[in-house]
Amino acid sequence: MQFGIFTIGDVTTDPTAGRTPTENERIRNTVEIALKAEEIGLDVFATGEHHNPPFIAPANPPILMAAIAAQTKRLQLTTATTLITTNDPVRLAEDYAYVQHLSSGRVDLMLGRGNTGPVYPWFGKDIREGVNLAIENYALLHKLWREEEVTWQGRYRTPLHSFTATPRPLDGIPPFVWHGSIRSPEIAEQAAYYGNGFFANHIFWPAHHTQQMVERYRQRFAHYGHGTPEQAIVGLGGQFFMRRNSQDAVREFRPYFDNAPVYGGGPSLDEFSRNTPLTVGSPQEVIERTLSFREYVGDYQRQLFLIDHAGLPQKVVLEQLDLLGEILPTLRKEFDAVRAPGVPDAPTHAAALAAGRGTQAAATPATDRWTGTRAEDHNTLEAD
């Protein structure tokens, strides 16, 4: 099982100090958080995608992923989420394959529809077509990573004729895809159809909602012949704020919760903590709450926590990571102890390669079908 963190990249005023970080600070702090994640032994770092203030999560996540990949050795990099609805599948195929090469395969991605309505017209799309865009665009992305020459026609972009996305996926293995959703059963269906992973956002809705979404995905995963329901690949979101004792955690986090744009004016901290996975308390309480997720989703492969939001200063975020690092061995041990036989590990590039699912790169450079030449032929002609 993989453990990690995800960021939504919000630039929020610290309600206790009245200070708002600059965009530059927040961007550089995000890289520092990712490096800290590897230092404490986490498996995964995920970044959201946003195109509007008050967020600095990259509009093109591979830029941040490449920067982090250059400074880490083991950390798996992913998104939370990549907008499959408003991005061009051709660009996604090329960008994520490129960063896959730069990171030696330490990349996967989570696809989602997005929850910011105005982003659709910004990119010339209609939000009423959100589900259809997600279905068609991913069908094309899936094909681009698996076929050398793609001829394709759909409703939402211009046709392709004998098109090859470059670079090709590393070792012939496309990045693993998770389909992320808060509330859309169609996205769970899409994940099941392709045998991909399903990531339940799990930070705003009660346990029974997450349970229903995951159960639907598992049943449909089996229906499409990818394995048993227990072999489906599931990831969960979550969030916490820890201090050595519960009282200190609640007292310190309450002003952040009360003033955060995503929480303010809604349920109280106590009510929200009861009805969602948000855990504000001691390390032992975070352990117990996290272990309880398995009771309603079964064995799963990836757990990501949101910890750097709501205006929390960087010093506090790094302290949260230190505390997470302390309880990480216990979480791993306890989840492993109850894991049922036959439950698959979280997918990785290395595991796919070891299983023989890769292909060898071409021995000679490809010929450009449009000019009939190879790059080195062109260079030779220039030299002559």
Side-chain angles (χ1 to χ4, degrees), residues 37-88:
E38 178 164 271
E39 177 188 321
I40 67 168
L42 289 175
D43 305 299
V44 183
F45 174 82
T47 177
E49 175 188 337
H50 285 284
H51 299 268
N52 56 291
F55 300 99
I56 53 81
N60 186 10
I63 294 174
L64 176 60
M65 296 165 83
I68 296 170
Q71 301 176 68
T72 55
K73 297 183 181 300
R74 185 187 52 78
L75 196 65
Q76 184 79 8
L77 303 169
T78 188
T79 56
T81 63
T82 295
L83 302 182
I84 189 61
T85 47
T86 54
N87 279 300
D88 179 10

Side-chain angles (χ1 to χ4, degrees), residues 323-368:
L323 289 167
L324 178 55
E326 291 181 18
I327 67 173
L328 191 56
T330 301
L331 287 172
R332 292 192 192 281
K333 178 181 177 182
E334 295 297 328
F335 271 107
D336 285 346
V338 295
R339 185 179 180 183
V343 173
D345 293 335
T348 64
H349 183 88
L353 191 61
R357 293 201 288 273
T359 59
Q360 295 297 319
T364 58
T367 298
D368 183 342

Side-chain angles (χ1 to χ4, degrees), residues 64-303:
L64 176 60
M65 296 165 83
I68 296 170
Q71 301 176 68
T72 55
K73 297 183 181 300
R74 185 187 52 78
L75 196 65
Q76 184 79 8
L77 303 169
T78 188
T79 56
T81 63
T82 295
L83 302 182
I84 189 61
T85 47
T86 54
N87 279 300
D88 179 10
V90 172
R91 186 62 182 266
L92 293 179
E94 298 188 335
D95 283 355
Y96 283 95
Y98 203 100
V99 77
Q100 186 193 34
H101 283 267
L102 290 174
S103 65
S104 300
R106 292 184 289 125
V107 163
D108 55 51
L109 68 159
M110 186 195 308
L111 301 177
R113 289 194 297 147
N115 58 12
T116 304
V119 74
Y120 283 81
W122 293 342
F123 291 90
K125 307 299 181 183
D126 185 341
I127 193 171
R128 294 170 296 183
E129 295 290 334
V131 170
N132 291 330
L133 280 163
I135 293 170
E136 179 176 297
N137 284 356
Y138 180 64
L140 176 54
L141 176 60
H142 186 270
K143 182 184 288 285
L144 288 166
W145 274 338
R146 289 164 176 82
E147 298 180 17
E148 289 284 344
E149 292 188 24
V150 172
T151 296
W152 175 93
Q153 185 168 349
R155 292 175 57 195
Y156 300 108
R157 77 172 317 280
T158 53
L160 297 174
H161 300 284
S162 299
F163 175 78
T164 301
T166 60
R168 302 305 300 153
L170 178 64
D171 301 314
I173 301 171
F176 185 77
V177 169
W178 303 79
H179 299 261
S181 178
I182 297 176
R183 60 187 177 273
S184 302
E186 297 91 344
I187 301 305
E189 180 77 13
Q190 185 180 38
Y193 177 82
Y194 287 99
N196 294 336
F198 177 65
F199 190 91
N201 180 278
H202 194 227
I203 64 173
F204 294 121
W205 291 60
H208 66 82
H209 173 79
T210 299
Q211 181 180 25
Q212 290 173 354
M213 292 286 285
V214 172
E215 284 184 354
R216 175 187 176 90
Y217 160 68
R218 289 188 185 279
Q219 291 166 4
R220 300 300 288 173
F221 180 94
H223 168 80
Y224 288 116
H226 301 298
T228 67
E230 294 75 21
Q231 292 173 318
I233 306 298
V234 174
L236 293 184
Q239 52 189 329
F240 66 76
F241 186 85
M242 272 190 283
R243 286 305 185 200
R244 295 293 177 188
N245 65 71
S246 299
Q247 293 83 359
D248 288 343
V250 172
R251 182 173 59 253
E252 185 175 348
F253 188 67
R254 190 180 297 279
Y256 293 97
F257 178 90
D258 289 345
N259 290 278
V262 295
Y263 303 130
S268 68
L269 172 59
D270 304 300
E271 183 181 358
F272 199 86
S273 297
R274 283 194 304 270
N275 295 322
T276 77
L278 173 63
T279 308
V280 182
S282 68
Q284 185 59 39
E285 287 175 308
V286 173
I287 291 171
E288 292 173 0
R289 188 70 175 280
T290 304
L291 291 173
S292 75
F293 299 163
R294 182 181 177 275
E295 296 173 5
Y296 52 89
V297 300
D299 290 307
Y300 60 110
Q301 283 73 25
R302 176 176 284 183
Q303 175 65 59

